[in-house]
Each structure stands twice: as structure tokens, then as C-alpha cells.
Amino acid sequence: MKLANFLMGKEEDPVTSTLLKSNDLKGIAEYIKSGACKKIAILAGAGISVSAGIPDFRSSDGFYNTLNTKDFPMLTDEQVKVLEDDPEYIFTIDLFRQNPSVYLHARKEFLLSGFKYKPTLTHWFFKLLEDKGLLKRFYSTNIDGLDVATNINKDILIHVHGTCGNAV
């Protein structure tokens, strides 16, 4: 009931008011260090890999907004029209089935980068949480595999969109 009242604006946040001293990074850190925190679940996306040099997809200078169809001579005229209207089309299963070379061309820098990209401090922090027995589930929307590079337990890590390592 407390959560329902909070969502309706009738009460303060039940998590902040009962567990955290403050509703910020410092409050979360203090709660984890206190020993009262026993289970952590994480949902993470592209933001944790940007500092590794991997561009995100949706920002103003991200992959979709900088996509140039002229860089893809293998596209048909119809595919170019669809892609210009919807840049996300480049990663659809329909386009991949029609012309897998488009996907491979779009991802070639990443796929051929070898070990150019390294896990960030955030990735290693998540691994530390696992090593301390606190991380129970890690849902990642990233396909870059940097979370895997930390050797995080595969039973904890759920790749929402798969990874390049498993798809290629």
C-alpha cells in the first residue's frame, strides 16, 4: 500500500524513506556498505559502454543519427528508402534475411575490433558486486560483450538483445 500511495503522491518514496539516507549515489553506496543490502538487480544499457569508446545508438551523434545510406552500396533502392525513414531497420531480422552483408558492414568496425574495447569501471563494479555475493541478476541491453569480458557469472547475466559474441 505504501508504494501505491507513493505513486499517487500521497506518501514519500517508501524505499528512500526506509532504506536510504538519501536518494542519490551516496545514499545507495552507504546502504550497500552498511551490510543491510543483500540482493541487487541491475538493468543497464549503452551508457555503461560509451566511456569504452563504443558509440550509443540513439543520441544526436549516435549510430542511427549518423547513419549514411551511401556507405552501404549493397542496399537496394527500396531498402534505402526504408532505412532513411527508420534507421533501426538496419538491425532487423527482415533485412538480415534479405541481405546479411548490410548488418556485417554496419558492424564491421566493432566485429573486427578484437580486443580494442575494454570493460569500463561500471562493468567492473558490477563484477565486484557479484564477487561480494550481492548481485543476483544483471539484465544488459548491450550487445558489445564487455560485461562478459569481466567473467561475470552467466547464470546472473541476462542479455536482453543477445550479444555479438553469440550472434556471429
Side-chain angles (χ1 to χ4, degrees):
M1 192 63 177
K2 281 189 172 208
L3 181 59
N5 286 336
F6 165 69
L7 293 174
M8 293 186 297
K10 295 178 181 176
E11 289 186 25
E12 57 181 34
D13 180 349
V15 173
T16 303
S17 64
T18 58
L19 300 177
L20 304 179
K21 291 181 182 175
S22 60
N23 196 14
D24 57 13
L25 187 57
K26 184 178 179 185
I28 294 168
E30 287 175 0
Y31 176 60
I32 292 171
K33 287 180 2 183
S34 75
C37 178
K38 303 292 184 201
K39 297 179 183 179
I40 295 175
I42 294 170
L43 172 60
I48 68 169
S49 295
V50 170
S51 63
I54 298 173
D56 68 14
F57 287 86
R58 292 177 180 85
S59 67
S60 61
D61 60 344
F63 182 83
Y64 293 134
N65 287 322
T66 59
L67 185 64
N68 184 348
T69 57
K70 291 177 179 34
D71 294 336
F72 296 87
M74 71 289 292
L75 288 168
T76 66
D77 290 342
E78 182 181 324
Q79 290 168 341
V80 167
K81 287 178 187 172
V82 174
L83 193 56
E84 287 174 344
D85 287 340
D86 179 14
E88 293 183 28
Y89 174 65
I90 200 158
F91 294 126
T92 63
I93 193 65
D94 290 337
L95 181 57
F96 185 81
R97 287 182 178 141
Q98 293 170 33
N99 192 345
S101 64
V102 175
Y103 173 82
L104 297 172
H105 186 72
R107 301 302 293 159
K108 74 178 176 184
E109 179 198 344
F110 184 77
L111 294 171
L112 299 175
S113 67
F115 296 102
K116 174 181 173 183
Y117 302 109
K118 306 284 186 217
T120 66
L121 286 175
T122 303
H123 292 97
W124 289 112
F125 175 66
F126 295 168
K127 175 62 176 159
L128 176 65
L129 291 174
E130 179 204 355
D131 292 346
K132 300 249 180 220
L134 297 172
L135 185 62
K136 303 304 179 188
R137 187 73 69 219
F138 174 14
Y139 298 94
S140 175
T141 63
N142 292 339
I143 62 170
D144 55 42
L146 296 183
D147 39 30
V148 175
T150 65
N151 292 316
I152 204 157
N153 183 326
K154 63 181 177 151
D155 294 329
I156 290 175
L157 179 59
I158 307 295
H159 287 109
V160 178
H161 302 303
T163 67
C164 286
N166 291 339
V168 178

